[in-house]
Amino acid sequence: MAERFFRAPSGFRAPLAFAAFAAAFAFIATFTALAHDITEQEKTMAEHPYAGMWVTEDNHIRHELLPNGRYVEARGTREKAYEGRYWVTGDHIDYKDDTGFTADGDFRDGVLYHAGMVLRRR
């Protein structure tokens, strides 16, 4: 008896099935495209000359630019003081940590200048 309250009239079954199929297809297509973009970005950053570890002279601040477009900043004994994403355009780097804070820097002559700090590749 309850079945008749939840059953679509026969004329609506095909459009509902098509809508469900279309939604599933759109989700899969979007996910696949996003996964492809992430994979391409990882490949690009893995080959990028700026990926790797950058440290201040006293080794207090350490930026590890990971090949997947993420970074980990260590400060003193705090190995994961900040984490987030980074983007390199030419010799300019933009950071966005996982809390939403943004910063930037520039690479010049093998040195990273960031927020008043000077970091060199280790």
Side-chain angles (χ1 to χ4, degrees):
M1 183 106 174
E3 184 179 317
R4 79 177 136 149
F5 293 110
F6 298 103
R7 199 162 161 210
S10 61
F12 288 104
R13 287 185 188 148
L16 287 176
F18 178 75
F21 174 77
F25 179 78
F27 173 77
I28 291 169
T30 301
F31 180 77
T32 302
L34 181 60
H36 176 72
D37 288 346
I38 290 170
T39 302
E40 286 301 311
Q41 180 183 11
E42 287 178 0
K43 180 180 174 191
T44 301
M45 294 315 297
E47 298 169 355
H48 200 283
Y50 296 139
M53 182 66 77
W54 295 83
V55 300
T56 55
E57 188 174 327
D58 63 2
N59 204 42
H60 184 74
I61 307 292
R62 299 171 304 282
H63 285 197
E64 185 174 6
L65 304 179
L66 302 169
N68 63 359
R70 291 193 53 83
Y71 74 91
V72 178
E73 179 177 326
R75 289 182 173 244
T77 59
R78 292 179 56 203
E79 287 301 317
K80 292 186 176 181
Y82 301 99
E83 297 180 75
R85 299 202 62 74
Y86 73 93
W87 298 266
V88 176
T89 307
D91 291 329
H92 183 80
I93 185 169
D94 289 294
Y95 297 90
K96 183 173 185 181
D97 79 12
D98 291 340
T99 67
F101 179 79
T102 60
D104 66 348
D106 292 292
F107 296 94
R108 290 192 307 266
D109 300 321
V111 177
L112 170 56
Y113 296 90
H114 164 70
M117 294 179 280
V118 176
L119 297 98
R120 298 183 192 284
R121 183 183 289 283
R122 178 170 60 171

